[in-house]
Every structure is written in C-alpha cells, then in structure tokens.
Amino acid sequence: MKNQTTEVAIVGGGMVGGALALGLAQQGFHVTVIEQHAPPAFDPTAQPDVRISAISAASVALLNRLGVWDSVLAMRCHPWQRLETWEWENAHVMFEARELGLASLGYMVENNVLQRALWEAMERHPQITLSVPAALNTLHAHNDSHELTFDNGDTLTATLVIGADGANSRVRQCAGIGVHAWQYQQSCMLITVECENAPGESTWQHFTPNGPHAFLPLFGYWASLVWYDAPARIRQLQSLNMVQLQQEIAKHFPARLGRVMPVAAGAFPLTRRHALQYVRPGLALVGDAAHTIHPLAGQGVNLGYRDVECLLDVLSRARQRGEAWASLPVLRRYQTRRMADNYIMQSGMDLFHAGFSNTLGPVRVLRNIGLMAADRAGVLKRQALRYALGL
C-alpha cells in the first residue's frame, strides 16, 4: 500500500465499517479498508462465538440490499419473533413480530459470522482494496485530503477518512475529537450455553435488584445468556469454572430457563460515550467510534447500521448533485440527522437503566405498573417497537 491514493479510507473493517465500504463501493466510490486482522474462516462445527448481536429487521434489510444476508443465512443465525420483559411475574410486557406484520423482529447473529460474510463480499468487490494487516499511526489534513501513515511506514492519501474503528477509535483521537463519557456502575457477562431443550424464537429479559438477566436464543440447542451485575460480582463470576458457573446460573436465572450447560464466557465494563462531533472536513465517525450505548436493548450495532444508511444517502446524493461530497457542509447533514437520534436512544436506555436500578419500594411499584400499562398501550406500543427496530 506504499504511497497509495483512494477516494474513501475506512479505518475498521468490522460489522459497521464493512457494511459502509460495500455500500459506498456499490455507489461507485473507490474504497480502501484498513484493518488489523481478517476475520477467521467460518467453521460450521465450532460452538457459537461468545459475541452475539441482535440484528433488527431494518438492519437485515440493509444487509440484504448490500448482498450479504444470504451469506449469513448460509452460515448460521437464528430468528427471534418475541421480546418479553418483566420484573414481577404479573407485570410482563411482550413485543411480537405479528403486531407489525413481520415474519420476525430480527436475527441473533454471531459477530464473527457477520464479519466473515462482509469480508468475503469486500474481497470480491472490484471497487474495494483491503489493507490488512495495517494499524493507523498518524492522520494529517492536507488541503482537500488526509494523509494516513501506518505502523509499517506505508502511507495513504484519501479524500474522505471514516473512523469505524470502535469505541477507542484511533481516527477520533488523531482528529482531536473529544467525547462525553461515563462508566456505568455495572458490568456485563456473556455466557454461551448448551440448552436441554431447543431455545425457541423468544428472547427475554428479567430485571433483578442487581441488574437484568437476559436470554438470547441461537441455532440448534445453543443460546447466549447476558448477566448484568456490579463489577465486583462479574469479576467473581469470571473466576469460576464452568461447573460452578452453571450452579450460579441455576440459582439466579428464572426457572423458565431450564437446565443449561455453560461452555464459554466473556465480560466487559459498560461505558457510555458520545463524540462531541461526528465530522470534520474530510472526516466522519460511524458506529462505536461515534457513540456507545448501554446494551440493555441490544441497539449498539443497529445504531451503527443507521449511521451507515444515513451516510450512504448523504454522500451519494451529494455526488449526484456535483457537490464537494467530503466537504464539511455535506458531512454536517449526516451529523445533524444521526446525532439527535443516537442521543435519544442513549438517553432512553439510560433512563430505563436508572429506573430499574432503583430498589425503593414505591419506585418498583411504579415501574411495574408502567410495564403493565405498556403491554396494553396498543398503537403507542407498536410505534415504540417500530422506532427501536429502525422501521
């Protein structure tokens, strides 16, 4: 890649960066994707990846338009038709695909499956150059372009640089864009389990005084459990072997889970981040590089795909009109449309998290009354579901 030029340089070729690269290439842009590691080849005999994403119906539609969804289906994923939430047994709220006339609300997809499908599509596209392994070192603006230098000494000149390189974005740091951030007093543990019975097509979340417990159905007899708790408690769970962890799951998850056998687990702290700007002249941030959200409702990657759709629309329209498509006035259209939506979703999840973290009796009564009311809200309930799904 020594001293190369490109129209668009995307730093980060994961689930969001890969989708954006394909979309731009299909619009006629020349794209270079910079990634430190190619995703591993798919192994149909391997147990599920610990990292799971709940891909909404709108995100599935985007992936279909990009021509990669059939590849995901050919590997593996699992549809979900119902979402159930409760704290008290008599205060459930249920969202169902049939309420919106959909076959499913979305799919549970292993991150490495989706990354592999996108990567193979990028490898085939003539408008995309994959630069791997490569790690961004410095980024400098020069007139109407940016010069990127990499740890191996190579350089790349790009009209537009897009940071799709995750929560600790190097692009964001090099551009000097600050973030508004705080740490939640909670951590999250993902546990891959093998179920005694087929997991079905319902995902559920049970709120407890220490944090929610969630169930995500996967293919075959596999499922993923999500355990939110205080950081010290999650560290203690991480120290257990699988037999001991199975005993803790049996004690603390609802009886409806049935007998499960954990086979792998991973944990991470929960942090909210929101970039103070999404754009600079010739530069834009997407996905986790621009915003991270409490994973309570599984909206992280779906918000990233909303970013992708918006930026594709803004750039393609500007190019068709003969505008300077990497200019700040054009890129601000993307920022204006996406920053407000992301902030609303972040704040909604924060409000939900705060409301269910409070253990005061009157607050518990009020929130469970709220859940019962939400389940009977009719049109408002359907509108909330449509918004969450990006429809």
Side-chain angles (χ1 to χ4, degrees):
M1 189 180 66
K2 270 189 182 299
N3 306 319
Q4 296 293 310
T5 61
T6 189
E7 287 188 302
V8 183
I10 300 179
V11 181
M15 295 186 291
V16 173
L20 182 57
L22 280 173
L24 288 171
Q26 290 169 7
Q27 295 285 346
F29 290 87
H30 292 276
V31 183
T32 299
V33 176
I34 297 97
E35 179 56 61
Q36 296 188 41
H37 307 286
F42 173 64
D43 180 0
T45 66
Q47 67 188 39
D49 186 4
V50 170
R51 301 165 304 153
I52 304 293
S53 292
I55 303 297
S56 72
S59 296
V60 170
L62 170 65
L63 295 166
N64 246 323
R65 291 194 297 275
L66 296 176
V68 298
W69 187 246
D70 284 345
S71 297
V72 173
L73 293 174
M75 285 184 272
R76 60 193 187 198
C77 59
H78 191 73
W80 51 288
Q81 297 182 353
R82 284 170 230 88
L83 167 62
E84 189 176 359
T85 299
W86 79 96
E87 181 180 20
W88 293 350
E89 281 298 332
N90 61 347
H92 287 234
V93 58
M94 176 88 75
F95 298 96
E96 298 192 68
R98 62 178 178 81
E99 295 180 69
L100 301 181
L102 299 174
S104 68
L105 295 176
Y107 284 77
M108 300 296 175
V109 185
E110 298 157 70
N111 288 9
N112 60 12
V113 166
L114 186 47
Q115 288 166 353
R116 190 68 211 173
L118 288 162
W119 191 264
E120 290 176 359
M122 288 192 290
E123 285 181 317
R124 294 191 298 267
H125 205 290
Q127 295 284 106
I128 297 176
T129 299
L130 295 174
S131 180
V132 59
L136 179 65
N137 189 10
T138 62
L139 175 66
H140 297 290
H142 293 292
N143 299 321
D144 294 330
S145 64
H146 279 81
E147 183 180 85
L148 300 86
T149 62
F150 301 93
D151 55 356
N152 61 1
D154 287 353
T155 63
L156 177 69
T157 300
T159 305
L160 175 63
V161 176
I162 297 173
D165 48 345
N168 298 311
S169 170
R170 179 64 181 161
V171 171
R172 190 184 66 225
Q173 293 168 11
C174 288
I177 297 175
V179 295
H180 183 239
W182 66 77
Q183 197 88 16
Y184 296 99
Q185 297 304 305
Q186 205 172 60
S187 289
C188 176
M189 188 174 198
L190 300 174
I191 310 168
T192 300
V193 298
E194 194 166 11
C195 305
E196 190 173 27
N197 302 306
E201 296 183 345
S202 293
T203 180
W204 48 257
Q205 195 163 57
H206 176 219
F207 288 93
T208 78
N210 297 320
H213 296 152
F215 174 82
L216 311 179
L218 301 177
F219 65 95
Y221 284 79
W222 294 100
S224 179
L225 306 183
V226 189
W227 190 327
Y228 299 91
D229 216 311
R233 173 60 166 151
I234 294 298
R235 287 194 295 272
Q236 186 264 329
L237 291 172
Q238 285 183 277
S239 71
L240 303 178
N241 62 40
M242 290 298 138
V243 173
Q244 293 168 325
L245 184 57
Q246 180 186 34
Q247 294 168 351
E248 290 299 306
I249 291 168
K251 285 179 191 175
H252 297 283
F253 272 68
R256 67 186 291 174
L257 176 64
R259 182 176 174 81
V260 298
M261 173 59 71
V263 297
F268 54 91
L270 302 181
T271 305
R272 168 175 163 159
R273 298 178 186 86
H274 204 177
L276 300 182
Q277 295 93 32
Y278 289 4
V279 300
R280 291 281 173 86
L283 184 143
L285 304 175
V286 295
D288 284 357
H291 47 80
T292 60
I293 187 172
H294 195 291
L296 198 61
Q299 286 297 314
V301 70
N302 295 307
L303 288 181
Y305 284 148
R306 292 194 202 184
D307 293 348
V308 167
E309 289 203 275
C310 179
L311 191 53
L312 287 174
D313 181 63
V314 167
L315 293 177
S316 62
R317 286 177 184 271
R319 188 164 188 163
Q320 289 166 9
R321 294 169 182 157
E323 297 179 272
W325 46 268
S327 66
L328 187 58
V330 169
L331 295 175
R332 275 180 174 156
R333 298 170 196 166
Y334 158 70
Q335 176 175 280
T336 298
R337 286 166 57 178
R338 291 304 309 140
M339 187 171 273
D341 183 46
N342 289 326
Y343 180 76
I344 289 169
M345 188 65 79
Q346 281 183 322
S347 300
M349 289 303 98
D350 288 347
L351 185 62
F352 212 68
H353 166 67
F356 278 88
S357 297
N358 195 307
T359 58
L360 291 175
V363 176
R364 295 187 69 194
V365 170
L366 285 173
R367 68 189 178 220
N368 280 277
I369 290 173
L371 286 175
M372 287 186 281
D375 198 44
R376 296 164 175 79
V379 173
L380 290 176
K381 177 185 169 186
R382 289 193 293 274
Q383 287 177 336
L385 182 57
R386 282 185 177 278
Y387 177 69
L389 295 176
L391 300 173

